[in-house]
Amino acid sequence: MSEGAAAARVLAALEADGATLAVAESLTGGLLAAALVRVPGASAVFRGSVTAYATDLKASVLGVDEGLLDVHGPVHPVVARQMAEGVRRLLGADWALATTGVAGPDPQDGQPVGTVYVALAGPSGTEALPLRLSGGRDTIRHGSVDAALELLLRRLASGQV
C-alpha cells in the first residue's frame, strides 16, 4: 500500500473512532507528518509532530531516559517506545507513532544502516517494531514511514485500543 493510501486509511479510521494522532520522528525527519498532512482533512485528527533529529532533543523534549540514550544510543526499541509515549503526552493525542534508526549512508553507534524501530503508543500500551531495511537512504526512510502507518492500521483493525 502506498504511503498516501495508508495515511488516508489511518486518518479515516481515527476519525471514525473520534481519536487523535501525534508523531515523533528521528530518521524520517518529517516524512511521516508530511504523509499525513498530504491527506485533505488531516487536521480533524492529526495533532502535530516533533522531529527530534538530535539525540539530546529526544531526552529534553520527548522525555526519553538520558541514561538509556547514554548506554544504547538513539537506535533502540525502548527509545522508540519512549519517543512515542513522550509525543503522545506532550501533544495530548490518543495515539502516537515514533521512528528512530539508521538511514545511512554510514552506520551509527554500532548499528548498521537499515536498523530501524517504529513504535506505537495508545490507550492500551506501547509497542516497538524492529525493522531491517535495505536500500538507499530515501528507501529506508520511506520504508520506515510505511511500517509506522501499517503498525497503527493493524492495531486499529484488531480492535485493540
Side-chain angles (χ1 to χ4, degrees):
M1 177 181 321
S2 73
E3 277 177 20
R9 287 185 57 207
V10 161
L11 294 169
L14 291 169
E15 188 169 14
D17 287 347
T20 57
L21 174 66
V23 300
E25 301 185 66
S26 186
L27 86 149
T28 50
L31 282 176
L32 180 52
L36 292 163
V37 300
R38 267 196 293 274
V39 178
S43 61
V45 298
F46 184 57
R47 300 272 305 151
S49 66
V50 172
T51 301
Y53 207 65
T55 300
D56 63 303
L57 292 178
K58 291 171 181 65
S60 65
V61 175
L62 296 172
V64 175
D65 181 84
E66 289 182 39
L68 176 68
L69 290 166
D70 289 343
V71 171
H72 296 287
V75 184
H76 190 270
V78 178
V79 171
R81 289 197 319 259
Q82 289 184 5
M83 287 174 64
E85 291 163 355
V87 80
R88 180 175 182 245
R89 182 176 52 254
L90 183 67
L91 300 184
D94 299 302
W95 295 93
L97 292 168
T99 64
T100 188
V102 184
D106 300 312
Q108 177 185 341
D109 297 323
Q111 299 285 347
V113 172
T115 302
V116 174
Y117 296 95
V118 295
L120 169 65
S124 64
T126 307
E127 66 180 289
L129 177 66
L131 304 171
R132 295 288 182 257
L133 302 175
S134 59
R137 185 172 173 80
D138 285 343
T139 301
I140 291 168
R141 292 175 68 226
H142 284 281
S144 301
V145 169
D146 292 340
L149 293 169
E150 289 295 330
L151 179 61
L152 180 52
L153 277 172
R154 282 193 304 274
R155 176 71 75 86
L156 293 170
S158 74
Q160 289 182 317
V161 293

